[in-house]
Structures are given as C-alpha cells and as structure tokens.
Amino acid sequence: MTDSSSDLPELWTHEPHIHLEFKPGDSVAAIDTNATPGFRGSKSDAPALQEERNARYAELQEMLYASSRAGDHRRILLVLQGMDTAGKGGIVKHVVGSANPQGIQYASFGKPTEEELAHDFLWRIEKKLPAAGHIGVFDRSHYEDVLIVRVHDLVPPDVWGGRYELINDFEKRLVDDGTTIVKVAMFVSLDEQKKRLSERLDRPDKYWKYNPADIDERLLWPKYQEAYQAMLERTSTDYAPWHVIPCDRKWYSRLAILELLIEALKGLDLAWPPADFDVEAEKVRLAQA
Ligand code: AMP
Ligand code: MG
C-alpha cells in the first residue's frame, strides 16, 4: 500500500461519496442542482485544485495500468448519465482525459443501430467494457434502456420493467470479476439547460453538439424525472451505488467526479509493481553495455 486516505484536500469536508451517494428516500425533484455539497471552497479555488487532483488521478491511473502489466486484472468503469448539456463531455475531456490515454477506454452510446437492436440490450455494452488495468468511461450507457426507452415507450413496460434486475445482475457480475463501477447521475436545472442550449445555437463551434431533438427531450423533463427516480431507486446497490451530482456549476461537478474517481482508485490499494528482474544485476550489465 502506497497511500492512505489522508490526501483528501482540505476544501472537502468529507470524502465526496458521503455527500453524493443516492440514499433511499432521496428525490430527484428535490435536487438542488446549483449546490456544491461537501465543498468548502469557491469557484476561485477550483482551477488550482483541479490541476492538483488531475495529477493525483493521473498518477493512480498509471499505477493501475502498470499493475495490469504485472497480472492485476482489476479495472474501473465510470458510468455517466445525464440529460443533454449536463456536462458529460466536459467530464470526459477535463477529468477522465487528464490521464494517459493509453489506459483509458471511452465509449458513447447513442440510438442503437439495427444490428444492436437485434440483440439483447446489454450486447453492445459488453463489447465496450474496459480491459484489465483500464479506466472505462461510458458516455451514456445501458441506463438509456430504462430512461429514454421508458420515456418514449420504445419497448413494452414489462420489457423495460425487467431491465432493472437484469442490470443489477450484470453489474454484480462485473464487480465480482474485478471492476469497480462508479455511477454518476448528472443533473442541471431547466434554466441552466436553456442557457447551455442557447449557447450551442449562438456559437458555430458548438453547433455540432446541438440536436433539435434535445428540445423535445427537455419538454419531457417530468417523465425523465420519474425515470431517473426509478433508476436511482432500483439500481443503486451496495456494490454499485449511484451518485447524484449537481451540475449547474461545472467547476463543482468536475471536482466532485474527479474526487470520486480518485476514491475508487485509492480503494484498490495500488502499488508500483516490483521489478521482475534483478535491478542491481541490470545496472551492472547496463554499465558494461
Ligand atoms: P448524444 O449523447 O447527445 O449524442 O445523444 C445520443 C442520443 O441517443 C440520446 O438522445 C440518447 O437518449 C439516445 N440513446 C442512447 N441509448 C439509447 C437507446 N438504448 N435507445 C434509444 N435511444 C438511445
Ligand atoms: Mg446531445
């Protein structure tokens, strides 16, 4: 073991999962999307802290990768769920992407293809699971199959209704097989979403992120709230709990998710793998070579 739990920055009152884990009785309708749970600092503290914590995360990520080269088969899966503009892309770019790309596996899940629809809903997910030593990030995930699918009645209720248990069984299998799953549900207010969508319409460099259908989904927010509530209640397990992230302040959501990743990595008690050769003998050989 190379690390203790003591490297949590003082700006956090407790490890963020304590504030952010979904608890029975929590209500999606009551989430304060503008809040900064557990964080004592302010926006002006964020850039320096983020840089420092990105470096810590990158170090641990490299240790995970190095351990896999020595036979450790553990891996991390970060699941990002959230409505359009919640900031999933920013998490991928500024948080997950601050580590060595060698050890990162990114997958996004949009509308399924014909081929994907011909298979079980977990088929396309299985194919994108992270390999040993990697951090996998799912930009949307199997949870779309109980979110957009439920909201739009894309399959009958008994089919989507059966998926909660199927997902729990699936994730249990992954955890038993050495995957630490970090699930984050990202929430923005409707006002903040409107601002961000309007920015996408005002800036040519953001048009690519805009989809006219985003407005249709936005209008369905009450139905999405119900679907998110059911998802959190039915798939938050002790082995793969959900975290609820207030996302109106991007700087906060990034710091919070970064800290959740660091916690997950620290939970693995990683260490640099010992040399599988005689270091001293190699030094002698090199000196003579
Ligand atoms: P984006 O992530 O903005 O590129 O949008 C991808 C779109 O694909 C979102 O509207 C998702 O809800 C939708 N999507 C993802 N998975 C599924 C699924 N299993 N069935 C139907 N639509 C999906
Ligand atoms: Mg989108």
Side-chain angles (χ1 to χ4, degrees):
M1 181 152 151
T2 55
D3 187 42
S4 68
S5 58
S6 62
D7 80 333
L8 184 71
E10 278 175 19
L11 289 166
W12 286 99
T13 53
H14 298 285
E15 289 168 325
H17 79 265
I18 294 174
H19 302 278
L20 300 172
E21 241 172 63
F22 175 79
K23 290 171 236 31
D26 285 352
S27 153
V28 169
I31 295 169
D32 178 359
T33 55
N34 196 42
T36 59
F39 194 69
R40 275 194 255 262
S42 61
K43 184 177 181 176
S44 60
D45 298 309
L49 182 60
Q50 168 126 22
E51 197 182 325
E52 179 194 322
R53 300 310 276 166
N54 277 347
R56 180 73 179 119
Y57 156 70
E59 181 190 25
L60 288 164
Q61 182 257 354
E62 188 162 284
M63 228 180 242
L64 174 66
Y65 188 77
S67 301
S68 75
R69 303 295 292 260
D72 191 334
H73 70 289
R74 293 177 300 169
R75 75 265 338 247
I76 299 225
L77 174 62
L78 174 67
V79 174
L80 301 176
Q81 277 299 151
M83 298 290 286
D84 284 292
T85 76
K88 301 185 291 295
I91 298 300
V92 171
K93 186 172 170 181
H94 300 286
V95 175
V96 183
S98 65
N100 187 339
Q102 196 174 37
I104 303 294
Q105 281 178 242
Y106 168 82
S108 68
F109 297 96
K111 204 168 168 286
T113 62
E114 291 275 316
E115 190 192 18
E116 287 169 349
L117 283 174
H119 290 85
D120 174 80
F121 76 106
L122 293 172
W123 181 74
R124 66 174 183 163
I125 305 294
E126 297 251 15
K127 290 200 295 180
K128 300 287 185 180
L129 290 170
H134 287 68
I135 296 180
V137 53
F138 280 2
D139 182 347
R140 305 186 188 270
S141 66
H142 41 299
Y143 286 102
E144 293 290 328
D145 290 282
V146 291
L147 292 170
I148 190 168
V149 167
R150 171 178 167 147
V151 166
H152 289 273
D153 298 315
L154 299 180
V155 299
D158 62 315
V159 175
W160 59 251
R163 287 180 175 167
Y164 299 98
E165 277 316 303
L166 292 171
I167 288 173
N168 289 340
D169 293 346
F170 170 66
E171 292 185 352
K172 179 77 169 65
R173 204 155 45 73
L174 299 185
V175 170
D176 288 345
D177 189 39
T179 305
T180 301
I181 307 179
V182 181
K183 301 193 294 200
V184 301
M186 302 174 64
F187 293 95
V188 273
S189 66
L190 281 175
D191 280 353
E192 182 63 24
Q193 190 196 43
K194 193 170 210 165
K195 273 190 218 151
R196 293 182 187 178
L197 286 174
S198 124
E199 190 174 86
R200 289 181 183 182
L201 289 172
D202 283 338
R203 287 181 45 181
D205 63 321
K206 298 221 170 185
Y207 292 164
W208 68 276
K209 291 191 187 184
Y210 187 84
N211 176 350
D214 295 348
I215 296 186
D216 304 311
E217 300 310 310
R218 172 180 165 78
L219 293 170
L220 290 167
W221 176 232
K223 286 191 79 177
Y224 270 103
Q225 269 189 324
E226 269 174 45
Y228 270 99
Q229 184 73 37
M231 174 192 87
L232 294 170
E233 283 172 7
R234 301 188 59 184
T235 62
S236 214
T237 54
D238 54 355
Y239 51 88
W242 273 106
H243 301 86
V244 170
I245 317 290
C247 291
D248 282 4
R249 303 176 199 239
K250 285 184 185 168
W251 61 264
Y252 172 81
S253 52
R254 290 175 188 172
L255 285 178
I257 295 171
L258 179 54
E259 219 53 57
L260 291 176
L261 273 178
I262 292 173
E263 280 182 70
L265 283 159
K266 288 202 307 186
L268 300 180
D269 276 343
L270 295 162
W272 294 111
D276 57 2
F277 48 84
D278 181 336
V279 177
E280 292 313 316
E282 291 303 306
K283 285 183 183 168
V284 172
R285 282 185 65 224
L286 181 61
Q288 291 165 356

